[in-house]
């Protein structure tokens, strides 16, 4: 019975990490697009997307920002860790996407 309980706890913990990664990706995309709409440029947009990520998620994070026709978008891709943040990741990523209208000066 003990191995079954341990396996269940490991699976629940993995789903918690998956959910937390989704939360981080969405928040990072929001922060990035917010910086991009303030006309701070693409480099500031990408830096803002990484700024609040925990260090365990920063290593595999990619942040891409683009502006077209007065509309700024940010896409964030994060690797989901296996069991412990900073450990090996699943072979898939979690995506966060945000967009907003660019502010006028």
């Amino acid at each position: 019975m003990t191995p079954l309980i341990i396996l269940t706890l490991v699976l629940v913990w993995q789903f918690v990490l998956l959910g937390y990664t989704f939360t981080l990706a969405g928040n990072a995309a929001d922060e990035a697009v917010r910086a991009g709409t303030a006309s701070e440029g693409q480099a500031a947009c990408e830096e803002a997307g990484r700024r609040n990520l925990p260090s365990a998620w920063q290593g595999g994070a990619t942040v891409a920002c683009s502006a077209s026709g007065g509309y700024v978008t940010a896409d964030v891709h994060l690797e989901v860790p296996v069991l412990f943040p900073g450990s090996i990741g699943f072979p898939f990523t979690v995506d966060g996407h945000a967009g907003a209208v660019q502010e006028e000066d």
Side-chain angles (χ1 to χ4, degrees):
M1 188 68 162
T2 302
L4 185 60
I5 292 171
I6 291 172
L7 178 65
T8 302
L9 290 175
V10 165
L11 288 175
V12 167
W13 178 247
Q14 190 58 52
F15 282 115
V16 167
L17 283 176
L18 177 66
Y20 186 55
T21 304
F22 269 101
T23 301
L24 289 173
N27 184 57
D30 288 341
E31 293 291 328
V33 82
R34 190 172 297 124
T37 59
S39 300
E40 296 176 16
Q42 184 169 351
C45 178
E46 292 174 1
E47 192 274 325
R50 286 187 167 83
R51 184 180 308 136
N52 294 326
L53 288 175
S55 59
W57 277 268
Q58 284 182 357
T62 59
V63 180
C65 299
S66 64
S68 175
Y71 191 73
V72 179
T73 59
D75 291 301
V76 177
H77 307 285
L78 299 178
E79 294 178 358
V80 179
V82 175
L83 293 181
F84 299 104
S87 66
I88 60 172
F90 273 139
F92 63 89
T93 60
V94 169
D95 301 326
H97 177 79
V101 176
Q102 193 163 16
E103 296 175 8
E104 301 269 338
D105 288 334

